[in-house]
Amino acid sequence: MSEITDKLNAAQLEAVTSTEGPVRVIAGAGAGKTRALTYRFAYLVTELGILPGNILCVTFTNKAAAEMRQRIHNLTGDNDTGHICTFHSFCVTVLQEDVNAVGYPKSFLVLDNSDINEMLREIYEERGLTLRDMTFANARDMIEILKLFERPDYYLDLIELTVDGLRQKYMDAVTPKDIIFYGYLYREKKCFGLDYNDLLKLTLYIFEKNADIRLKWQKRLEYIMIDEFQDIDSIQYELMEVLAGYHRNLFVIGDPDQVIYTWRGADVKYLLEFDKKFPGTKTVMMTKNYRSTPEILAAANSLIDKNVFRMKKDLTPTLPSGSPVICHEAQTGEAEAGFIVAEAQSLHDAGVPFRDMAVLYRSHFVTRCLEEALEKAKVPYAIYSGVRFFDRREVKDALSYLRMAAYRDDLAFTRIVNVPKRNIGERRMEFLREYAAEHGCSLYDALLKCADVELFRGTKARQFISLIETYSTGYAGRPVSEVLTAMLSDSGYERMLRTEGSQERLDNLAELKQSIYDYEITCGEECTLEHYLARAALFTNQDASEPGDRLKLMTVHAAKGLEFPYVFLCSMNEGVFPSKRTNTRPKMEEERRLAFVAMTRTEKRLYLTSSSGRNLDGSPRYPSRFVLDIAPGLLEYTSPPREGLIREAREYIEAAEARLSDGDTGGALPPGTRVRHSVFGEGTVTGVDGEKGAHIIKFDGIPTPRAIAFRAKLEKL
């Protein structure tokens, strides 16, 4: 036992050895959260004799899961690391075992955004829609909103209707909204595809409707651990409740001061009120910070203490004293960028690699001046906002070849049937689409049946069919990395890239092969082609890294979970950070938490920078309230702020604060309520805008409705 526990502090040891019943760990930034999780897993396996396959450990990125698996392997020496994965990956595992319960094949296809875009393109072409009706991005958002909120039982159509039945609903649809939604469901069912929302929804549906399957998984998962619990949303919470319903050994760990994803459904109440939902909960506080210097932590504690809705705690430093937090107020945005670049060069000259430095910001638009300064100074940098690795064209093409071997689905077929060129252009593709629609078959099957007709003479259709048939029947039992290497060679794809001189794309394919090989070693015999493809569709932006000695530029959201020796938190101005769109007190608290997350990414030295001058609308530019939230004695200014600047900023912030709404529609008047306004007179409430904190009122004497802030005095009639 000592081999595992002697490297833990008292709070970590308590978290690791508290194994039975519900356990909540409040773990501050840099407090060793991942260590507690991995050591707890190892403790369960090596000391208590729990089988790894009976433990579920949920993280929020595939990268974090992979790192955790490696740490646990190093601790236990066992290649079996149980279920260490994201919620979506775990649902893939459940569905691959039990999706037959809803009539889907176990070889279902997991769809990502590029697949969805291809489906949308087909819908738009078939039904005459254009991007003026709705952009693809807005269409994806609309589909997600419909699935999660407006039509939460949509999956019943997917399960209960036939492909022809869904197509009829699609063809009967009139509005762009319904055309897109039912066209998408129809295409999902046609290729037995499931998107991210479907994975959780169908899993919950199977558990709800099939008690035997539910009990099987509940009994199997003797211990459940959930990382980053402050980021959990309602569907994930529901899934967690179901899974923990038998053994009730539920361990959650998170930090309410790092809730920065409410806009995508995260709700801090699940962490704060966990003990109310699960009576008998044991709560452990982990506040010793092993990442940052006392100076950085003092500033971060001072900032976050201004939030009202939080669980009171202060991070306690364990590192020796270091540099003060530097605060720099520049005259212009260009001057601010110049300061950052000069400091980065100075650190580099002193022996600090550029890769140990990061510039963090609230939004990408602030980087223009910074990029210009970096280019001028010839400082190498990487912006973490480009095309993610698994969305790069050559990677998607390679995975589509693998999908053709496993599934022969229309999306993969459309992507690579003419890559490299096989003389199967749009005219022949249109023929295949019409044939497939008429005969109710896939595009690949249409090509199989039509390859010898006159239209396809002079093409390489037969060579393509031979390639797919060879690998469709021959991939079983072979390593995925070996299958991919052979397909890319036999298809002529890599030869095409070499002919084009596309070395960067060839390097990306080499990286893909390496990542598959690494995954095979980790997963062992479980890594079948279908298994790998399902998980490849779930990879996130954090699964790719930028090599080389480069200064890192990224948003604070992208930096969540990362740490850097030196951090520049730039553009700390009102209207930038906090964002000018922040119009409620809960949102302002989230912005402050976001600033707290940014500051606690830092290990050795933190810079807070801003610029004065004027905004585009001519208004004065003030320092961020988050800088002013920090006790002045905890900051070291490079030069004293302009006389009167802090006073003017505080006056501006005080006025802006008064305009914030509570963001709570609980006390709002329901639609239909008759009211009287002191100026506009009598009217009727027609709606409530919680985002803006306003009633929508149609006044009797005014032809159009008005948005009236909650704070306005209204007399209820």
Side-chain angles (χ1 to χ4, degrees), residues 16-17 56 206 215 255 267 272 320 397 481 498 549 625 648:
V16 166
T17 56
L56 169 64
I206 290 171
L215 187 59
D255 182 4
D267 194 334
L272 294 178
D397 288 348
S481 55
R498 284 193 293 270
D549 187 24
R625 69 189 69 194
E648 293 171 15

Side-chain angles (χ1 to χ4, degrees), residues 5 98 121 179 184 244 291 320 333 463 528 621 637 690:
T5 59
D98 291 312
R121 186 189 63 77
I179 290 171
Y184 176 68
R291 177 187 300 155
Q463 290 94 317
T528 63
R621 190 179 301 150
Y637 282 85

